[in-house]
Amino acid sequence: MKVNNQFPARQKGTKYCADAETNRVADYIQKLGIKYTCMAREIGIPEGILRRSLITRERSLRAGEFLAVCRFLEREPLDFARDAGQGA
């Protein structure tokens, strides 16, 4: 069995939380009032993945997902990588 050390299996009582960039993207999308179902259909990422990343924030967006969301939002990826005081 192959072990992925980047995303370790959850152990009882622990919860994984999204990274800062995913949280900034989620806040921006919520501020704009964009529907996740529409965005999922448009960019080709399953709605469940977007829900877990951007609504419940229990997983971070993967690189390809992050870039697809940025293209959909017509924003540069670095806009979400800056400090909260300077970002989106």
Side-chain angles (χ1 to χ4, degrees):
M1 175 190 238
K2 187 175 180 181
V3 176
N4 185 346
N5 292 329
Q6 184 179 2
F7 302 105
R10 289 189 198 175
Q11 295 181 10
K12 189 173 184 176
T14 63
K15 183 171 181 171
Y16 182 79
C17 296
D19 60 17
E21 290 76 16
T22 298
N23 286 325
R24 288 187 196 112
V25 169
D27 291 340
Y28 183 74
I29 291 169
Q30 185 178 17
K31 183 174 81 172
L32 293 179
I34 295 172
K35 304 265 188 211
Y36 292 94
T37 54
C38 173
M39 186 168 60
R41 228 183 347 255
E42 185 75 27
I43 63 179
I45 296 174
E47 185 180 344
I49 296 292
L50 289 181
R51 187 180 322 105
R52 287 180 52 221
S53 297
L54 303 174
I55 297 175
T56 64
R57 300 180 192 199
E58 59 188 53
R59 74 182 284 278
S60 296
L61 289 168
R62 307 304 189 262
E65 297 164 354
F66 178 72
L67 294 174
V69 169
C70 288
R71 277 192 300 272
F72 176 82
L73 296 172
E74 297 178 354
R75 298 290 306 262
E76 291 293 323
L78 288 176
D79 291 345
F80 299 107
R82 294 189 183 110
D83 292 332
Q86 301 173 343

